[in-house]
Each structure stands twice: as structure tokens, then as C-alpha cells.
Amino acid sequence: QVQLTESGGGSVQSGDSLRLSCATSGGTFSRLRMAWFRRAPGKEREFVAGCSWTASNRYYAESVKGRFTISKDFAKNTLYLEMNDLTPEDTAVYYCAAGNDASNVKSVNGYAYWGQGTQVTVSS
């Protein structure tokens, strides 16, 4: 059973940066497709960024492209999301997800394992 534990959320000002971490255990990290999703108040959970098993392929939502970077540290079995130039629209609970379904990389249905979420709040 894959277990995911997010950390790194917090309250920041517009223009600030944050790095989210997702520690992974119970699975073969190098064989997992992984992603970050977020859910803002009153909205559905949405795709933010994802990567292939080796992280050689990376995918981003248009709203974060150029500001966010997803990466995997294979030595630490940890997924990261580097977030720069944050805006109030980025305020949400951010979730780490993992799975093996290559056909739904931007859909919640493509991931079998989820973390508990970490809150990111950006004030203007």
C-alpha cells in the first residue's frame, strides 16, 4: 500500500514562493506516476502538475505553467512542487497523488493513492 505524506504548506504573500514535499512509502517510487492536485474553497479538485515514472515527462495546468515546477528525488522517494510568484488564486488545499494509469494523467481517476493534503494560503 502506497502512503503519501505532504508537507510545506503555509500562509504567504503574493509574489512569494513555497516548496511542497510529498514523502512516499510502501511502493516502488520509480514506478509511480505522480501528480499534484488542488482544491480551492467551493471548487472541484483540479490538476496542477504531473510527471511520468522517471519524471522525464512533466505536465502542467495552464494556470501554473512557468511558475510551478514538479520534480522527483529518487534518493529520498519524495515528490516536490516548487511554486513561485504565488497569487491569491493559488490558495487551496494541495494534494499529492500517485498511480500507474498512463491514460488519465490529468484526471483524479488516474491516481489510486492520495495524501491528506496541505493548505496553501496566499494573501494580497
Side-chain angles (χ1 to χ4, degrees), residues 18-100:
L18 276 176
R19 187 177 75 162
L20 304 183
S21 300
C22 175
T24 305
S25 63
T28 304
F29 185 71
S30 61
R31 299 289 292 176
L32 289 172
R33 289 185 168 273
M34 300 193 73
W36 290 96
F37 287 75
R38 68 186 181 187
R39 182 167 62 196
K43 295 187 177 181
E44 297 290 320
R45 192 174 300 195
E46 65 173 0
F47 172 81
V48 175
C51 65
S52 58
W53 299 345
T54 61
S56 58
N57 295 317
R58 307 182 191 190
Y59 318 92
Y60 297 95
E62 284 300 317
S63 59
V64 307
K65 198 172 291 185
R67 299 188 298 123
F68 290 13
T69 302
I70 189 171
S71 62
K72 292 178 98 174
D73 185 330
F74 293 92
K76 296 182 178 179
N77 286 356
T78 299
L79 179 75
Y80 296 105
L81 183 68
E82 186 74 37
M83 306 186 295
N84 297 315
D85 195 20
L86 286 161
T87 73
E89 288 69 37
D90 295 314
T91 294
V93 177
Y94 283 72
Y95 298 89
C96 174
N100 304 105

Side-chain angles (χ1 to χ4, degrees), residues 4-7 36 93-96 114-119:
L4 307 173
T5 305
E6 302 99 333
S7 62
W36 290 96
V93 177
Y94 283 72
Y95 298 89
C96 174
W114 293 84
Q116 81 289 351
T118 185
Q119 177 71 46

